[in-house]
């Protein structure tokens, strides 16, 4: 497979790199398969509209244009090579449910080809529930007498209610047009393909198999039923066929358990390397830049992305530091996680560099203004190896570079992205380490060298599971929604420490002194001040049964019932 093709019926006024096939003949291009194409007229695994957008609008010199067009192809090749968005096919029959008035039904029948659909019609008020997905939808209706279950492949619903927007396969002619909906129905029947948008690691998920619900941010922000909670098991269930691919769940996932399959964190890291010396102009696919005519000043290089909501504080900071420039985000909507990420980073950059990190442009006028004011940020460029590094650790390491030896105060985090500082009342902590076992991102750790409990606040997700798990009263609390911009935030802080208690029989160290003393104080009254039983409280697991058995053998007559005593 040849990798790159550039197709245009207009001649370019500068040459392209020899790795790119330049052609104006469809017959020439159609004989090969390509990874990246600039035009839908020539098949490519990725259609990169940003290439023509850059060529048409950039003010770069000819020499730089040649280099940068090649970069745009290579960026898309990386995205393709590293994508995990497996494609699937769903069988879709011609069974269609029409939810409409009688008049709307007549309009639908006139527009469709006779008998092309196996059609059922009901009115909106009789629909009680919709479940399943395109190709396998179940609709429960009630005519006032009893419930009936209808099994269909697709739904056409005029003025559809929220009930119909959760599953894939429901279409509203009033949101587009009847002709568009009919074309979609036909296309789906002949070939309905979908792909995987999310990658999930349950090991660091902050909902998965926890005793209490601490986090379900992904479910809260999902506009469909692509992610649902199985409360009895504390498991998440994913339906890729119902996923819109927006990526909103990725940006709010605190631990990085969710990643975006079309462009994961590792892919973004490699892509960011191409933006050294360039200003990244992030453009989601939905913004449709094909006909956007706007002057791109020198060194501005577009970064086209598929979903508009998957970028988070870690990926944004990667682009910022690898480029050494402010970033422009061109989108007419800010998702919850994206908005909070931008809020956090802009606070940080204002404190350090006295300028925003990310300039948001929500329309063409704002984009023009953003392009005029955007600039490189002196001493902000920082390169680091992110491979095999978790989401929070990436952000922590990059933020640590910004802070350096300064004390920049603190920034507040938002409603959907949380950072925190765990505090411990050392007097009440027995170092049972229940909190360490509860933390699945390694923010809380036990240090065996000095028998201490430690916290790295920079990677804490503020989930609160350590607080729930702590058995001691007035011991562990969480200072939420804060990032402290000083060097201590990025180093392990000792929260509590203790000496190890030595077994009074063999001298083996087996627990912390506070833990032994606490258990002894609780159990001594129950043991009715029996000196042998009390002594076992200060023994290791090996000596405990030994002294109990020794006591029994030496005083076994005391353990007999009155009738057994001779």
């Amino acid at each position: 497979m040849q990798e790159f093709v550039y197709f245009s019926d207009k001649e370019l006024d500068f040459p392209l790199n020899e790795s790119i096939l330049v052609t104006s003949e469809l017959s020439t291009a159609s004989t090969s398969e390509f990874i990246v194409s600039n035009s839908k007229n020539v098949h490519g695994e990725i259609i990169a509209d940003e290439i023509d957008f850059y060529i048409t609008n950039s003010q770069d010199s000819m020499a730089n244009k040649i280099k940068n067009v090649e970069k745009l192809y290579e960026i898309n090749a990386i995205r393709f090579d590293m994508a995990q968005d497996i494609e699937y096919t769903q069988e879709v029959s011609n069974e269609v449910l029409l939810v409409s008035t009688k008049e709307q039904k007549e309009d639908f029948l006139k527009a469709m080809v006779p008998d092309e659909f196996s059609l059922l019609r009901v009115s909106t008020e009789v629909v009680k529930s919709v479940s399943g997905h395109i190709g396998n939808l179940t609709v429960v209706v009630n005519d006032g007498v009893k419930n009936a279950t209808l099994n269909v492949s697709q739904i056409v619903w005029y003025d559809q209610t929220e009930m119909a927007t959760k599953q894939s396969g429901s279409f509203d002619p009033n949101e587009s047009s009847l002709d568009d909906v009919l074309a979609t129905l036909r296309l789906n029947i002949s070939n309905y393909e979908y792909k995987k948008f999310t990658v999930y690691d349950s090991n660091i998920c902050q909902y998965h198999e926890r005793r209490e619900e601490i986090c379900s941010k992904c479910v809260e922000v999902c506009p469909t039923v692509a992610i649902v909670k199985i409360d009895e098991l504390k498991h998440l269930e994913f339906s890729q066929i119902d996923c819109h691919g927006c990526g909103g769940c990725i940006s709010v996932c605190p631990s990085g358990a969710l990643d975006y399959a079309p462009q994961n964190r590792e892919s973004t890291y490699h892509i960011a390397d191409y933006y050294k010396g360039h200003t990244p102009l992030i453009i989601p696919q939905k913004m449709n830049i094909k006909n956007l005519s706007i002057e791109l000043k020198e060194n501005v290089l577009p970064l086209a992305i598929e979903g508009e909501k998957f970028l988070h504080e870690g990926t944004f900071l990667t682009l910022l530091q690898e480029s050494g420039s402010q970033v422009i985000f061109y989108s007419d909507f800010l998702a919850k996680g994206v908005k909070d990420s931008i809020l956090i980073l802009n606070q940080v950059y204002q404190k350090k560099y006295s300028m925003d990190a990310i300039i948001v442009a929500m329309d063409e006028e704002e984009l023009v203004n953003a392009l005029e004011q955007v600039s490189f940020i002196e001493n902000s460029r920082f390169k680091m190896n992110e491979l095999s590094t978790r989401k929070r650790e990436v952000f922590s390491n990059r933020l640590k570079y910004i802070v350096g030896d300064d004390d920049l105060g603190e920034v507040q985090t938002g409603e959907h992205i949380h950072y925190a500082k765990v505090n411990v009342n050392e007097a009440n902590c027995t170092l049972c380490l229940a909190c360490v076992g509860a933390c699945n991102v390694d923010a809380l750790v036990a240090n065996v060298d000095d028998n201490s409990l430690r916290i790295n606040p920079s990677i804490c997700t503020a989930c609160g599971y350590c607080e729930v798990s702590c058995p001691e009263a007035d011991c562990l609390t969480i200072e939420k929604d804060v990032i402290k911009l000083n060097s201590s935030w990025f180093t392990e802080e000792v929260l509590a420490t203790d000496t190890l208690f030595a077994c009074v029989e063999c001298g083996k160290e087996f627990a912390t002194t506070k833990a032994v003393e606490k258990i002894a104080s609780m159990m001594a009254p129950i043991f009715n001040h029996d000196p042998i039983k009390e002594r076992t409280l200060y023994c290791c697991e090996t000596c405990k049964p030994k002294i109990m058995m020794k006591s029994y053998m030496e005083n076994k007559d005391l353990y007999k019932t009155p009738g057994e005593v001779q």
Side-chain angles (χ1 to χ4, degrees):
M1 179 187 290
Q2 187 165 351
E3 290 193 345
F4 308 143
V5 61
Y6 183 84
F7 170 80
S8 178
D9 52 8
K10 298 177 181 177
E11 187 174 341
L12 280 173
D13 56 5
F14 60 90
L16 295 182
N17 186 279
E18 61 183 13
S19 64
I20 305 166
L21 173 64
V22 179
T23 181
S24 60
E25 299 292 331
L26 280 175
S27 57
T28 302
S30 62
T31 58
S32 302
E33 293 185 357
F34 302 94
I35 293 177
V36 184
S37 170
N38 69 306
S39 170
K40 289 183 178 178
N41 292 320
V42 178
H43 173 74
E45 296 296 329
I46 291 180
I47 305 299
D49 291 332
E50 70 272 21
I51 292 171
D52 281 327
F53 171 70
Y54 170 78
I55 290 173
T56 302
N57 297 288
S58 177
Q59 302 302 302
D60 283 334
S61 67
M62 183 181 297
N64 285 336
K65 276 190 175 182
I66 295 169
K67 293 176 185 176
N68 291 338
V69 169
E70 183 184 7
K71 283 185 179 182
L72 291 174
Y73 276 98
E74 290 174 347
I75 286 166
N76 280 287
I78 288 172
R79 184 184 284 119
F80 173 76
D81 289 340
M82 302 191 72
Q84 298 171 284
D85 51 346
I86 303 165
E87 292 190 347
Y88 304 93
T89 301
Q90 170 67 39
E91 183 177 339
V92 179
S93 72
N94 71 340
E95 294 169 321
V96 174
L97 175 66
L98 179 63
V99 184
S100 68
T101 63
K102 291 181 180 179
E103 292 77 12
Q104 289 165 338
K105 177 186 177 182
E106 292 303 316
D107 292 339
F108 187 84
L109 291 173
K110 289 176 184 176
M112 64 177 267
V113 175
D115 300 323
E116 68 173 319
F117 304 119
S118 175
L119 193 67
L120 296 172
R121 190 201 76 86
V122 297
S123 57
T124 298
E125 58 270 16
V126 305
V127 180
K128 302 304 175 186
S129 68
V130 180
S131 59
H133 53 74
I134 185 168
N136 187 21
L137 289 162
T138 299
V139 183
V140 176
V141 299
N142 188 299
D143 61 2
V145 179
K146 62 179 182 178
N147 284 343
T149 301
L150 307 177
N151 296 308
V152 297
S153 275
Q154 300 183 90
I155 301 172
V156 177
W157 191 324
Y158 284 83
D159 299 315
Q160 62 183 356
T161 64
E162 186 179 354
M163 182 195 311
T165 62
K166 298 291 185 180
Q167 278 79 16
S168 54
S170 181
F171 311 98
D172 186 349
N174 290 333
E175 290 184 357
S176 52
S177 71
L178 182 52
D179 287 341
D180 286 344
V181 168
L182 285 168
T184 300
L185 295 177
R186 293 168 184 138
L187 181 63
N188 291 342
I189 290 171
S190 64
N191 184 33
Y192 186 79
E193 294 182 343
Y194 64 99
K195 62 183 181 180
K196 180 179 181 179
F197 280 105
T198 54
V199 180
Y200 175 58
D201 179 1
S202 63
N203 292 317
I204 55 173
C205 174
Q206 311 223 307
Y207 175 81
H208 184 74
E209 294 186 354
R210 290 189 155 178
R211 296 187 310 277
E212 295 189 25
E213 183 173 319
I214 299 299
C215 177
S216 55
K217 281 291 183 184
C218 55
V219 178
E220 292 171 21
V221 301
C222 182
T224 70
V225 291
I227 312 176
V228 296
K229 297 182 294 182
I230 311 300
D231 288 327
E232 312 84 65
L233 301 173
K234 290 292 189 295
H235 282 192
L236 296 177
E237 188 174 90
F238 296 84
S239 172
Q240 299 293 343
I241 195 170
D242 290 306
C243 181
H244 290 173
C246 68
C249 57
I250 314 301
S251 60
V252 298
C253 179
S255 63
L258 283 170
D259 205 355
Y260 194 58
Q263 185 177 316
N264 58 27
R265 289 193 300 276
E266 186 176 345
S267 173
T268 300
Y269 165 63
H270 287 294
I271 287 170
D273 190 49
Y274 284 84
Y275 285 84
K276 177 183 178 181
H278 298 285
T279 291
L281 167 57
I282 303 172
I283 307 174
Q285 190 177 68
K286 66 168 189 171
M287 295 307 288
N288 190 17
I289 59 171
K290 287 192 70 171
N291 299 317
L292 180 61
S293 179
I294 194 164
E295 186 175 299
L296 301 180
K297 69 179 182 182
E298 286 185 295
N299 300 316
V300 173
L301 195 61
L303 172 57
I305 59 174
E306 187 166 351
E308 67 275 15
K309 304 176 183 178
F310 75 94
L311 294 174
H312 50 75
E313 70 272 28
T315 45
F316 274 126
L317 190 51
T318 295
L319 285 165
L320 284 160
Q321 291 189 327
E322 295 290 333
S323 67
S325 169
Q326 290 177 294
V327 168
I328 299 174
F329 187 65
Y330 179 47
S331 176
D332 58 7
F333 175 78
L334 291 182
K336 294 173 180 177
V338 170
K339 188 175 182 179
D340 280 6
S341 298
I342 293 172
L343 170 70
I344 291 167
L345 287 167
N346 282 353
Q347 287 182 81
V348 171
Y349 267 58
Q350 281 291 347
K351 287 178 178 293
K352 179 69 175 183
Y353 305 112
S354 300
M355 58 200 313
D356 283 343
I358 299 157
I359 304 172
V360 176
M362 304 191 79
D363 56 37
E364 285 190 39
E365 183 179 351
E366 290 185 4
L367 181 57
V368 170
N369 292 333
L371 287 164
E372 288 176 353
Q373 70 183 73
V374 72
S375 67
F376 291 95
I377 305 174
E378 188 176 356
N379 299 322
S380 69
R381 188 169 188 277
F382 174 58
K383 186 165 187 61
M384 63 168 275
N385 186 352
E386 294 185 6
L387 300 181
S388 302
T389 306
R390 291 176 178 176
K391 174 181 179 178
R392 285 285 166 124
E393 291 165 341
V394 168
F395 186 69
S396 170
N397 291 335
R398 288 190 174 278
L399 186 59
K400 182 179 179 181
Y401 169 79
I402 295 174
V403 173
D405 296 325
D406 295 335
D407 187 343
L408 302 175
E410 59 183 52
V411 299
Q412 300 300 309
T413 59
E415 181 184 354
H416 304 282
I417 295 178
H418 302 284
Y419 283 79
K421 169 75 166 58
V422 173
N423 296 306
V424 165
N425 180 354
E426 187 172 8
N428 292 349
C429 178
T430 61
L431 267 76
C432 68
L433 304 184
C435 57
V436 174
C439 182
N440 63 2
V441 295
D442 300 326
L444 283 163
V445 294
N447 188 306
V448 296
D449 294 331
D450 60 0
N451 306 312
S452 64
L453 169 65
R454 298 175 176 229
I455 176 70
N456 180 345
S458 69
I459 59 175
C460 173
T461 64
C463 72
Y465 199 47
C466 57
E467 191 173 21
V468 171
S469 301
C470 180
E472 308 299 337
D474 189 28
C475 181
L476 189 151
T477 56
I478 301 176
E479 182 184 355
K480 290 192 174 182
D481 296 331
V482 63
I483 299 174
K484 298 187 179 182
L485 302 178
N486 55 61
S487 58
S488 64
W489 184 258
F490 306 96
T491 57
E492 286 185 358
E493 175 190 341
V494 175
L495 297 174
T497 187
D498 197 4
T499 57
L500 290 181
F501 188 87
C503 173
V504 295
E505 286 289 311
C506 69
K508 172 186 172 183
E509 294 177 332
F510 68 96
T512 62
T513 300
K514 285 182 181 178
V516 172
E517 289 174 347
K518 178 184 177 183
I519 294 171
S521 67
M522 294 170 58
M523 297 304 295
I526 298 173
F527 287 168
N528 200 24
H529 301 293
D530 180 323
I532 299 300
K533 288 183 178 179
E534 285 188 357
R535 187 171 179 79
T536 65
L537 297 171
Y538 301 94
C539 293
C540 68
E541 70 281 4
T542 303
C543 294
K544 193 184 299 285
K546 285 181 180 179
I547 66 168
M548 287 295 292
M549 184 59 68
K550 181 181 178 182
S551 173
Y552 172 78
M553 295 304 294
E554 290 176 351
N555 303 282
K556 58 183 178 181
D557 286 348
L558 297 176
Y559 293 91
K560 293 182 179 180
T561 62
E564 294 177 310
V565 177
Q566 303 255 332

